[in-house]
Amino acid sequence: NDLVTSAMVGIVSLVEFFAAEDDSIEDDQARQLVSDAMNVQGRETILLKLLVIPNDDLKLIVMRCLSKVPLSQIEPDEMGAIVQCLSDVKHIGEGRTEEMLALVVRQLQRLLLAPGETGQHFCTSFAERAVAECSEILLANSLRATTKESDEREKLELSCAIVSFYFSCSGIP
């Protein structure tokens, strides 16, 4: 239902507003309080469950929202679910899937480079699987024929995101 999906996009946009850390606001206690409450309620798990809904706009806003969540608030099971997003994709060229996958890979890169326990846990528990999934996506993406310039741009953006992720992986001991 388009109306329900539009409402969900709006709700996720609101969640994104509260999840974002805004350094330009001096006293951002109210936003932080709401963000912390959403985290306790399983914000990331709920957002990740929305990715099964077959709507590109919703998937993109979910991934954009997750990119604003402080990395320390992403739990290990949520890290695994983000990696799983890569293997759940069946048709890379369908809709705006490449754009969504590029956002997933960038989120994986954020987790990989996260300071402290978050980054260390991602590296030891999920990095190897993430690299393997990215390799599958990169292979499928490179074999895909494109006829339109916009498709070629999307293909390039996804490939660049994966290569950047690989580059970051190469710097991790």
Side-chain angles (χ1 to χ4, degrees):
N1 184 330
D2 290 340
L3 184 59
V4 173
T5 304
S6 294
M8 285 187 202
V9 168
I11 292 167
V12 174
S13 295
L14 183 63
V15 171
E16 180 183 20
F17 169 78
F18 285 106
E21 296 178 309
D22 192 344
D23 294 334
S24 67
I25 301 173
E26 283 184 35
D27 191 15
D28 204 12
Q29 293 176 344
R31 185 189 300 217
Q32 187 61 47
L33 185 66
V34 173
S35 179
D36 290 344
M38 287 181 178
N39 185 49
V40 169
Q41 296 298 316
R43 169 190 52 217
E44 296 81 27
T45 300
I46 293 167
L47 288 169
L48 288 163
K49 288 179 181 179
L50 292 175
L51 293 175
V52 300
I53 297 172
N55 181 284
D56 288 337
D57 292 332
L58 182 59
K59 289 178 181 185
L60 290 171
I61 193 71
V62 164
M63 289 313 303
R64 285 189 191 113
C65 181
L66 286 171
S67 75
K68 306 265 175 44
V69 171
L71 293 171
S72 62
Q73 294 183 355
I74 298 179
E75 303 298 324
D77 59 322
E78 296 161 346
M79 291 178 192
I82 294 169
V83 174
Q84 183 66 36
C85 290
L86 297 174
S87 59
D88 287 346
V89 171
K90 304 295 181 240
H91 304 287
I92 294 176
E94 190 174 280
R96 296 171 69 189
T97 302
E98 303 100 324
E99 190 176 347
M100 190 274 297
L101 286 171
L103 290 170
V104 170
V105 172
R106 286 189 190 101
Q107 183 68 7
L108 295 174
Q109 187 172 19
R110 283 184 68 221
L111 288 166
L112 178 80
L113 299 174
E117 192 176 307
T118 301
Q120 187 176 26
H121 188 78
F122 180 81
C123 287
T124 58
S125 300
F126 300 102
E128 189 173 322
R129 185 170 147 224
V131 167
E133 294 294 344
C134 282
S135 295
E136 293 292 324
I137 296 288
L138 185 60
L139 177 63
N141 195 40
S142 66
L143 294 174
R144 193 168 55 86
T146 55
T147 55
K148 295 189 290 187
E149 187 176 326
S150 61
D151 290 342
E152 193 61 36
R153 272 194 310 273
E154 292 169 355
K155 183 177 177 179
L156 178 63
E157 185 173 328
L158 175 56
S159 295
C160 286
I162 293 171
V163 170
S164 180
F165 174 68
Y166 287 161
F167 183 77
S168 295
C169 288
S170 70
I172 305 295

